[in-house]
Amino acid sequence: MVCDREAGNQRQGLGLMLVRQIAEVHGGGMEVSHGESGGFRVVIRLPYGI
């Protein structure tokens, strides 16, 4: 899936969704959470040795 109904309401939504899809295709993943100083925190995990 390339788009999401909720992505249009967020400025980062579509870009972050694409990053998550790319990470998943390569066997990884992505986590989004609240940042310690405000905003949000994104962790992208990719397998080592690709």
Side-chain angles (χ1 to χ4, degrees):
M1 173 174 13
V2 176
C3 64
D4 187 322
R5 289 182 202 156
E6 297 173 14
N9 297 331
Q10 303 171 359
R11 288 179 36 196
Q12 304 88 359
L14 183 59
L16 290 175
M17 187 172 40
L18 292 172
V19 169
R20 182 185 71 208
Q21 290 173 350
I22 292 167
E24 288 175 353
V25 164
H26 292 285
M30 183 180 87
E31 299 172 15
V32 179
S33 61
H34 293 285
E36 294 177 12
S37 302
F40 63 95
R41 176 177 178 240
V42 178
V43 176
I44 301 169
R45 299 186 192 283
L46 294 172
Y48 182 74
I50 291 182

